[in-house]
Amino acid sequence: MCAYVLVAEDDVKQAELVRLYLRHDGHSVQLVTDGQAALDEVRRRRPDLLVLDLMLPSVSGLDVCTKVRRESTVPILMVTAKSTVNDRLRGFDLGADDYLVKPYDPRELVARARVLLRRADPDDQGEPPVRVGDLVLDPARFEVRVGDRPVECTAAEFRILTALASAPGRVFSRAQLVERVYGIDAFITERTIDVHIKNLRKKIEVDPRNPEYLLTVFGVGYKVRDGR
């Protein structure tokens, strides 16, 4: 698919290399070198994917991620030299869909971009709507509702929720959810799933500490309650 990709990277040489590889993969690419320009471009023309460096001038990448996620479900691929598990989990907690550590091979960035774009493409979602009680997921429209209330989800959150809701009552381990959402990926830890579940509970549960929909099966994983 041909997509419009916004790359926010203040290292000009690195940004040009990323643009070269993404263009070679068939995408239209816009480069910006500071956080405020990234926010302005997202608001002016919503990209299909945001490649976001965390160490940006003007507005930090973390702040950009937070503000973009409040306004949009655009997939966000974070790129940074910060490589600890806590750094990655913080990025996911703010709404990133994937996380790539510098230095990286541009071919890996292109591969991750393909996955995010494919999973965010409504035309790639052929499943019918799924209903569990008042919780409704519509893959064709990339929509989630609780009753009449719409819920904004990231691409990763949506895929986790879809996997769980497709089999109410079935328990999925964290490893199974990682594979469902990201495929086999050495950079994604199972703790990432915990972060996404926490964020989903904040969005869909009346009381996230006492969830009605997203249930923990201690020592095993997670499930959506059986709606029967």
Side-chain angles (χ1 to χ4, degrees), residues 153-190:
C153 292
T154 67
E157 290 167 357
F158 188 86
R159 289 188 66 83
I160 289 173
L161 197 53
T162 300
L164 293 170
S166 66
R170 174 185 168 184
V171 182
F172 288 81
S173 70
R174 292 168 178 81
Q176 288 173 322
L177 291 172
V178 167
E179 187 169 351
R180 288 287 187 104
V181 177
Y182 298 102
I184 299 173
D185 191 333
F187 290 99
I188 302 299
T189 71
E190 294 182 12

Side-chain angles (χ1 to χ4, degrees), residues 15-37:
E16 289 292 348
L17 184 62
V18 169
R19 171 154 62 181
L20 177 66
Y21 273 80
L22 286 170
R23 281 184 169 177
H24 187 266
D25 203 46
H27 305 302
S28 171
V29 183
Q30 174 68 40
L31 300 182
V32 293
T33 57
D34 68 79
Q36 187 58 54

Side-chain angles (χ1 to χ4, degrees), residues 52-150:
L52 178 63
D53 181 43
L54 293 191
M55 304 300 288
L56 292 174
S58 178
V59 180
S60 75
L62 288 175
D63 287 339
V64 170
C65 184
T66 300
K67 292 177 181 180
V68 168
R69 192 49 76 223
R70 288 172 183 165
E71 304 170 11
S72 171
T73 58
V74 57
I76 298 175
L77 172 55
M78 280 190 173
V79 178
T80 179
K82 295 183 177 182
S83 59
T84 70
V85 171
N86 285 337
D87 288 327
R88 294 178 213 161
L89 292 177
R90 185 182 181 194
F92 287 121
D93 195 32
L94 293 176
D97 295 284
D98 201 355
Y99 195 106
L100 187 59
V101 177
K102 293 181 177 179
Y104 57 84
D105 188 321
R107 294 172 297 179
E108 182 180 359
L109 184 145
V110 170
R112 288 172 181 253
R114 286 178 189 162
V115 171
L116 291 175
L117 289 166
R118 183 172 64 249
R119 290 174 175 169
D121 181 7
D123 293 333
D124 195 47
Q125 308 291 336
E127 302 92 343
V130 177
R131 179 184 291 273
V132 179
D134 290 335
L135 176 65
V136 180
L137 295 86
D138 189 341
R141 297 184 178 182
F142 198 80
E143 291 179 350
V144 177
R145 300 189 308 278
V146 178
D148 295 328
R149 177 173 63 88

